[in-house]
Amino acid sequence: MLLSLLTTNPLQFVIIAAALVLSLTVHEFAHAYTADRLGDPTPRRFGRVTLNPVKHLDPFGTLLLLIAGFGFARPVPINPRNLGRWGTLWVSAAGPISNLLIALVAGLLLRFLPPSQFTFTVLSYVLSINVVLAVFNLIPIPLLDGSRIIGALVPSLGRSLAQFEAQPFSFVIVMLFIFIAQGPIGNIIRTVQAWVFGVVGLR
């Protein structure tokens, strides 16, 4: 539980919380910026083409982060009709791609910056958190970016996924699935983390 670190290790809490805020903010900004550049004004109308964390963090999702160690930011509103099939795909992929890029940058800094325990701790958390966010969001289940990518590639499936997301119980079902499948998801995340470490020469 992240919140427990406030009393046991306040510095670690601050580092992890800052890394989470940075990573979630960049993730949502990437969605908004990509949609804006591809011709959809919706994110800009809602003030989402910004790196201001206040515009992106969700109160309940942030509370979950503090209590359970996982959560979510506010989804960026888009209008797929302004983007088309492939534009929607790129907007959906932009968030996970941004997290993978942050992870790679953190890994390169770990390799080339002068050794320091504080620097190593901060960059290790940044790397790990962004790999988790990238892999997690690429899971092809409703409410996550992966489902929207699959939906753009297979429009008929995308319509079914969108109908499921509209149901009031969809969030609960997705959370239950993630809880049940956390073992395999964790294995995939560790594999990607090892790959990133290998790419930047830290393995």
Side-chain angles (χ1 to χ4, degrees), residues 7-122:
T7 54
T8 59
N9 194 332
L11 179 59
Q12 187 181 14
F13 172 84
V14 171
I15 292 172
I16 295 175
L20 282 168
V21 169
L22 166 71
S23 306
L24 289 169
T25 298
V26 171
H27 179 102
E28 298 303 331
F29 168 76
H31 286 312
Y33 178 79
T34 305
D36 186 66
R37 294 291 294 176
L38 291 177
D40 182 12
T42 310
R44 187 170 293 277
R45 283 206 305 268
F46 283 86
R48 302 298 298 276
V49 188
T50 176
L51 286 169
N52 180 359
V54 175
K55 295 291 187 178
H56 298 296
L57 296 182
D58 179 271
F60 180 65
T62 303
L63 182 63
L64 272 180
L65 277 173
L66 295 175
I67 295 174
F70 71 92
F72 53 88
R74 293 167 55 204
V76 172
I78 64 169
N79 186 343
R81 286 177 291 185
N82 292 330
L83 295 166
R85 177 182 173 186
W86 300 113
T88 300
L89 185 150
W90 281 113
V91 170
S92 301
I97 289 173
S98 72
N99 292 128
L100 282 176
L101 289 175
I102 293 174
L104 287 170
V105 170
L108 289 170
L109 290 175
L110 275 171
R111 182 179 181 184
F112 294 111
L113 282 181
S116 157
Q117 183 59 47
F118 179 75
T119 300
F120 177 83
T121 300
V122 171

Side-chain angles (χ1 to χ4, degrees), residues 68 70 136 139 141 171-186:
F70 71 92
F136 178 75
I139 299 172
I141 59 175
F171 178 80
V172 175
I173 291 177
V174 170
M175 289 299 103
L176 283 173
F177 172 82
I178 291 170
F179 177 77
I180 293 169
Q182 59 183 310
I185 293 172

Side-chain angles (χ1 to χ4, degrees), residues 135-149:
V135 174
F136 178 75
N137 277 284
L138 285 173
I139 299 172
I141 59 175
L143 304 179
L144 299 181
D145 296 327
S147 72
R148 292 173 173 84
I149 294 172

